[in-house]
Amino acid sequence: MTALTDLTITDALAKLRARDISAVELTRAYLDRITQLDDQLQAWLTVAADYALNAAEQADKARAAGDDQPLLGIPMGIKDVLSTKGVETTCGSKILKGYTPVFSATSVARLEAAGMVMLGKLNMDEFAMGSSTENSAFKVTRNPWDVSRVPGGSSGGSAAAVIAGMAAGTLGTDTGGSIRQPGAFCGITALKPSYGRVSRYGLVAFGSSLDCPGPLARSVEDVARILQVMAGHDPLDATSMPADVPDYLAGLNGDVKGLKVGIPKEYFIEGIEPAVEQAVRAAIAQLESLGMEPVEISLPHTDYSLPTYYIIAPAEASANLARYDGVRFGLRVDKGEMWPTYRATRGEGFGAEVKRRIMIGTYALSAGYYDAYYGKAQAVRTLIKQDFDKAFEQVDLIATPTTPTTAFTIGENTDDPLKMYLQDVFTLPASLAGVPGLNLPCGFDGQNLPIGMQLIAPAFGEDVLLRAGHAYQQATDWHKQQPAFH
Ligand code: GLN
């Protein structure tokens, strides 16, 4: 029999509904698995066992009383950048150590209202800045496929927890790739929704014009279940879209025949590992055999995405992170007077990468440089978005590799920030354009490390993305593979 912790959300819900298992049993199975594995994997920053068991008991009572919410009794983990009422939220930073929010992020609150059982909070790069979780102030999460390697980042804990069976699904956040890239490195299904599809309220801000909460899980169907609950307008986030949310689950089995899939030539370039290119090309051939039509396209401004992002994201971060001053919450290094206290608190509280971004961002926004850097980057961002607008006049979806390489080893890129930034070349453009991107596991390299394909759709086209992804997963079983220690 499949272990309880290997069940998809879809299968776990069926068993809960049939009363084959209880939410408490399922939750205990996950908590045991965390106890068994997390010393080695280091995916969790907080395991909220009592909180989870209490929620599971409530879920069982609710079900006994006839309730059947979409995630009733499903144990999940939450990236530590999303505020959780009564449960410590650190963003992987010393500066927020000990901070316990008095409210929950809308995305989390909606999952809880749908019956989700929150197991705890997951490790991440500090303030979501990074691609490996090595920038966490607390621990480095290991890749369950090879513990000498990184799980990707910044939502590395969220990705590792799913593939290791330590949560049925998780929430991550993606500013430039932080859901999709760890999804690719850990071999799981991971969706960055369109900007504005899911509320950012309670998501501790990094780059406010880019940040998106999204689901990581074992299948497209599971991702659709989670997205369904989170998506939609929130009066507490003025940038959330006041538009109807389609029924993603109902749409999963719709026809994919005739969908045109753009293959941008700028994404198959030198520097991409041959095994990655081969697996993604094979996945595209699979889409074709399902009746979709590959079409070569061009996204001519792709090369500018990296420099554009690395002006805009740090600029926004430098403004957002000004609020950590040792006065209102988190760390305070008291030096008696105001300025010395600010300086000491921020000096000790932030790690090296966060300081680097604050300095880059402050420089890019300073008088005399604003137009040359920030203004220019915004203009180029528009060109990048127009590339997608033009492409989507011609195609329904775009398929690319999610990352140029498979998971790298711990320490391999830490001395070279530029090499680390290059991790994001294939995920940044969709972030800058605000369009949704889905990582689908599509193969393995010679070292048995997962490879991911990214599907991109027009803004608010998550339904098409999920439909195509589901069709792909009906025909393949890459998403069902698990690491050997399972
Ligand atoms: N790796 C990118 C960065 O460091 C993206 C991070 C993210 O999406 N949060 O900024």
Side-chain angles (χ1 to χ4, degrees), residues 151 158 178 185 251 261 341 364 398 458 468:
S158 301
S178 276
F185 278 15
V261 183
T341 298
I398 294 172

Side-chain angles (χ1 to χ4, degrees), residues 128-131 154 173-178 206 309-310 357 424:
M129 297 173 190
S131 302
S154 63
T173 61
D174 191 311
T175 304
S178 276
F206 161 15
Y309 172 87
Y310 277 98
R357 305 263 181 131
D424 307 322

